[in-house]
Amino acid sequence: MPQNPLNSGEQKRLSLLIAQVEKAFASGQENYRKGKLPEAKVDFDRAVDLMLSSGIDIKSTPALQDEFDRVVDSVNSMEMAALKQGNGFSPNVEPAPADVAEDVTFAVDPNLVAKARTDLATTKSDLPLVVNDYVAGFINFFSNTKKGHNTLLHSFQRSGRYRAMIQRVMAEEGVPQDLIYLAVAESGFQPRALNRRSHAGGMWQFMPRGNYGLERNSYVDERFDPEKSTRAYARYMKFLYNQLGDWYLAMAAYDWGAGNVQRAVQKTGYADFWELYKRNNLPGETKNYVPEILAAIIIANHPKQYGFDDITLDPPVVTDTVTINYSVDLRLVSELVDAPIDELQALNPSLLRLDTPPDTAFDLHLPAGTAAMFQQRIALVPETKRDVWRYHRVAPDDTLASVASAFHVKESDLAEANQLDEGQSLSGIEALVIPVPASASVTSRGGLYRVRRGDSLISIADRFGVSLEQLRLWNHLSGSAIRTGSHLHVAPPDYRTHTTRHRRSTSSRTRSTRKSTNAGSKSHSTKHTTKKKSASRKKTTHKKPSVRK
C-alpha cells in the first residue's frame, strides 16, 4: 500500500517522537541491565505509550511502525528472559510484615520481655496494650532479624503517605487511632496490594464482593481508594467491636470472622482473646495476627529502643481533587495538567482503566496546584468529547494544516473545534483542542475480547483503555504472549464470593484476606489461606459478605 510522503512539519514531529521513544527505551535497557525491573517496566511502558498516544497513525507511517515493532519485540524478549528468573517486569507487591513471619519460630528472650514491659509503661495508646511471650516473640523477630526488620521498616516508611488521612478518618469514625497498625499486617500500607488467589485487595484487603459501602464496577474499584477504603475499614471495625465488646476479639474477627470468634467464645465461655489463644481455640493465623499488631504498635512508639532509628517517613500524598460527573481520558488529563499518565494513575488507584466513569460522580485526584489549570483547560473540550479528544500545545512552526495532518483530522474540523478560520495563523495561540474521532468500537461480550491476528497485549490494552497490569491480572498472565483466537477479559471478571478456609495443624500461613458475613446476629470476615505443603485441609464455605453501616 503506497504511503503519502510526510511534509516537513510532520517529519519533524515524527523525528521528535522517535527521539523521545528512543530515550525512554534506552533508559529502560539501562535499568534492565542493572536488575531494576520495575523501573525498566515504567520506561518501556512510557516508550510504547508515547507512540500509542501520539495521534500519528502507526500503521500508515512506516518509520513509526518499524520503531513500534522493534520496541515491542525487544521488550517482550527481555520480559520473557526476566520471567525465567522471576515475575518478569510485573513487580510483586512487597510482602507485609505478617507475610515474612510465616514458618518462623519466635524465640522468647526474658530480657526483651522485661524491656518491653518497661516500655509499655510509657507507651501512649488508645488500645489496651499487653506484653506477653507471644507479643515479645514478634518484637524479637521484627527487631533482631534482617528479614523482619526490613519489612517492618518499609511498612513504617510507607505509612507516612497516608498516616494523616487515616488518623483523620479514624477520629471522624470514633475508633482507636492505633487501629492504623492493622495495615501493617494486611498490606504494609500499599493501596494497590492484591491477593492474586483470593482477589482481596487494597490497603485493608477487602474481598471483591461485600456490602462495605465501596463501589466496584468496570471503571472503578474503591477498595484501592486509600481514603474510601479506610473509612469502610473503620466502620467495619466499629461494627465488630459493638458486636463482640473487645478490641482484641474485633481484630481476631477481622482476620477470622465474627461468627467464628463468637462460636469459640460460646464453646469455651471465655470472651477473652488470650484465653482462646491458650486453649487452642483459634487458628494459627489468627493467633499470630493480634500479637504481631501489638508488637508493631510498641515498636512504633519506641523505635530507637528496637533498632528502628533510621525511619524516614515517605512524604504525605498531597493532591488537588476535582469532582466530575463525565468520562475523561487520563491521556487528555495528562496533557491538560502537564503530568505523566503514570503519576495520574498512582494518584487515582481506584481507576481500572484510562477513562473515568461516565454519568456518575468521581473524585479525580490531580497533582497539587493543578486544579485551576485543569478546570480552565477542560472547559475548552465539549463534555461529550472528553473521552476521545486531545489537547496539543502549539509549537512555533505549527500550522492548522500541519497539526491536522499529524493527528489525522480534517483541517476544517480542527479549525471549527477551536473557533478559527481555515488557514488562519496560529501565532499567539497557546494550544489547540484536537477533535479526534471516536475509534470504531470494538465489541466484546461479557467483558471478553477475542484476540485477532496482529493483536498484542499492548494494543488490546490501549484499545480498551486499560493497563497491561490489569489485563495480566484479569487473565492470569505473567508475560505478554497471547494466542490468536483466545478470549481475554478486558474488564474485571465477575469474581464470586465462594470462599474456603484451609485449616491445618501447623502455624505457618500465606497471607490473604477476609470476607465478612452479616446475617442477623452472625457476622464474620475470613481470610483465604493456602499452603502448598500442608498435609490435609478442610474446607468451609461461607456466605456472601456484608457490613452494617
Side-chain angles (χ1 to χ4, degrees):
M1 176 178 169
Q3 306 292 333
N4 295 325
L6 301 177
N7 60 40
S8 58
E10 292 171 329
Q11 186 61 54
K12 183 176 180 180
R13 174 176 164 79
L14 177 61
S15 299
L16 178 60
L17 172 62
I18 290 178
Q20 292 173 325
V21 171
E22 285 294 311
K23 182 178 179 180
F25 181 68
S27 177
Q29 287 181 306
E30 180 65 20
N31 280 321
Y32 180 83
R33 283 191 291 268
K34 293 178 179 178
K36 298 180 177 179
L37 298 187
E39 291 83 353
K41 177 187 179 301
V42 170
D43 290 330
F44 290 145
D45 283 352
R46 174 165 173 73
V48 173
D49 189 64
L50 281 168
M51 291 183 280
L52 292 174
S53 62
S54 66
I56 300 176
D57 188 345
I58 296 176
K59 291 185 177 180
S60 66
T61 311
L64 190 56
Q65 181 70 68
D66 290 344
E67 180 74 3
F68 182 85
D69 291 341
R70 185 184 73 82
V71 169
V72 171
D73 290 345
S74 298
V75 171
N76 285 342
S77 297
M78 283 184 279
E79 179 159 30
M80 290 307 296
L83 282 168
K84 293 178 181 178
Q85 303 177 26
N87 196 41
F89 294 138
S90 303
N92 288 319
V93 173
E94 183 174 326
D99 295 328
V100 301
E102 61 180 276
D103 293 327
V104 171
T105 300
F106 301 106
V108 178
D109 181 350
N111 294 325
L112 188 144
V113 174
K115 179 176 180 293
R117 285 176 175 164
T118 300
D119 291 336
L120 187 61
T122 58
T123 299
K124 295 181 180 180
S125 176
D126 45 11
L127 287 175
L129 300 183
V130 65
V131 171
N132 52 31
D133 287 354
Y134 315 123
V135 176
F138 275 97
I139 293 176
N140 184 42
F141 173 68
F142 291 137
S143 302
N144 298 319
T145 69
K146 182 177 180 181
K147 191 175 184 180
H149 180 278
N150 288 344
T151 309
L152 186 60
L153 173 64
H154 296 161
S155 183
F156 283 161
Q157 289 171 334
R158 279 191 297 270
S159 72
R161 304 176 192 174
Y162 309 106
R163 177 177 294 274
M165 177 273 292
I166 295 174
Q167 289 174 334
R168 171 176 56 79
V169 172
M170 297 288 195
E172 290 171 354
E173 296 298 331
V175 296
Q177 289 285 313
D178 275 346
L179 287 179
I180 186 177
Y181 291 102
L182 264 74
V184 169
E186 294 298 335
S187 67
F189 291 96
Q190 297 172 98
R192 289 298 308 219
L194 184 69
N195 185 293
R196 291 181 181 272
R197 181 177 176 86
S198 69
H199 308 296
M203 191 183 302
W204 306 104
Q205 290 289 282
F206 285 109
M207 291 297 290
R209 287 290 183 268
N211 183 23
Y212 304 110
L214 297 173
E215 182 70 26
R216 185 174 183 270
N217 54 46
S218 62
Y219 283 88
V220 299
D221 189 336
E222 291 182 346
R223 295 179 302 156
F224 301 115
D225 183 294
E227 180 162 348
K228 290 182 178 179
S229 66
T230 295
R231 193 169 298 280
Y233 158 72
R235 290 176 177 177
Y236 186 48
M237 284 301 297
K238 191 173 184 178
F239 162 75
L240 291 175
Y241 176 77
N242 289 337
Q243 190 173 45
L244 297 166
D246 179 89
W247 285 116
Y248 288 178
L249 292 179
M251 285 189 274
Y254 194 79
D255 179 74
W256 190 31
N260 290 327
V261 173
Q262 285 175 327
R263 284 187 286 274
V265 169
Q266 291 168 359
K267 178 181 178 181
T268 63
Y270 288 96
D272 180 88
F273 174 82
W274 302 113
E275 283 294 333
L276 298 180
Y277 189 116
K278 286 184 279 189
R279 293 168 183 272
N280 204 30
N281 287 108
L282 299 170
E285 177 180 325
T286 309
K287 282 184 175 181
N288 289 340
Y289 189 73
V290 172
E292 67 196 6
I293 293 168
L294 299 182
I297 294 173
I298 292 171
I299 292 173
N301 277 274
H302 306 277
K304 292 185 178 180
Q305 288 93 313
Y306 297 99
F308 288 82
D309 49 2
D310 53 350
I311 298 177
T312 302
L313 297 181
D314 289 350
V317 175
V318 180
T319 68
D320 281 1
T321 301
V322 294
T323 301
I324 60 177
N325 57 3
Y326 50 80
S327 182
V328 62
D329 193 312
L330 284 190
R331 287 167 290 195
L332 173 61
V333 179
S334 170
E335 294 160 350
L336 294 175
V337 300
D338 300 319
I341 291 177
D342 54 356
E343 180 182 354
L344 292 171
Q345 289 177 310
L347 294 178
N348 297 276
S350 68
L351 274 181
L352 298 176
R353 53 179 68 194
L354 290 180
D355 295 307
T356 64
D359 305 320
T360 187
F362 178 78
D363 292 333
L364 178 65
H365 301 296
L366 304 170
T370 64
M373 179 192 302
F374 171 81
Q375 297 284 30
Q376 178 184 4
R377 292 176 175 176
I378 195 68
L380 301 173
V381 182
E383 186 172 307
T384 58
K385 305 294 185 182
R386 291 171 183 174
D387 58 344
V388 290
W389 282 21
R390 305 300 287 269
Y391 181 85
H392 171 70
R393 284 182 168 278
V394 174
D397 56 350
D398 277 346
T399 64
L400 275 175
S402 67
V403 174
S405 177
F407 283 95
H408 301 281
V409 298
K410 294 180 180 179
E411 182 179 353
S412 58
D413 292 341
L414 180 63
E416 181 181 358
N418 292 274
Q419 299 180 4
L420 301 173
D421 297 324
E422 284 190 58
Q424 182 175 332
S425 170
L426 298 181
S427 176
I429 296 177
E430 179 184 349
L432 297 171
V433 294
I434 311 298
V436 177
S439 341
S441 61
V442 182
T443 59
S444 63
R445 297 188 63 179
L448 287 175
Y449 170 72
R450 185 173 182 178
V451 178
R452 301 175 181 177
R453 186 176 180 180
D455 280 341
S456 68
L457 208 58
I458 292 172
S459 66
I460 294 172
D462 181 68
R463 186 175 302 157
F464 286 96
V466 300
S467 71
L468 283 174
E469 287 307 300
Q470 287 161 345
L471 279 185
R472 285 183 175 129
L473 172 63
W474 298 336
N475 295 282
H476 307 288
L477 300 174
S478 55
S480 298
I482 52 176
R483 181 170 53 84
T484 300
S486 62
H487 287 85
L488 293 179
H489 288 285
V490 292
D494 186 14
Y495 298 129
R496 301 299 178 182
T497 54
H498 178 78
T499 304
T500 59
R501 181 176 181 84
H502 303 293
R503 299 175 185 268
R504 56 199 180 280
S505 58
T506 63
S507 61
S508 59
R509 62 182 176 180
T510 297
R511 300 294 300 179
S512 68
T513 57
R514 78 239 6 96
K515 288 183 176 183
S516 72
T517 298
N518 175 20
S521 62
K522 296 180 180 179
S523 173
H524 67 269
S525 74
T526 182
K527 292 191 175 182
H528 182 100
T529 59
T530 66
K531 183 175 175 59
K532 292 182 180 179
K533 297 181 181 179
S534 55
S536 63
R537 300 174 177 179
K538 295 181 181 179
K539 296 185 178 181
T540 303
T541 303
H542 300 294
K543 298 178 181 179
K544 290 188 177 182
S546 64
V547 178
R548 293 177 181 169
K549 291 186 178 180

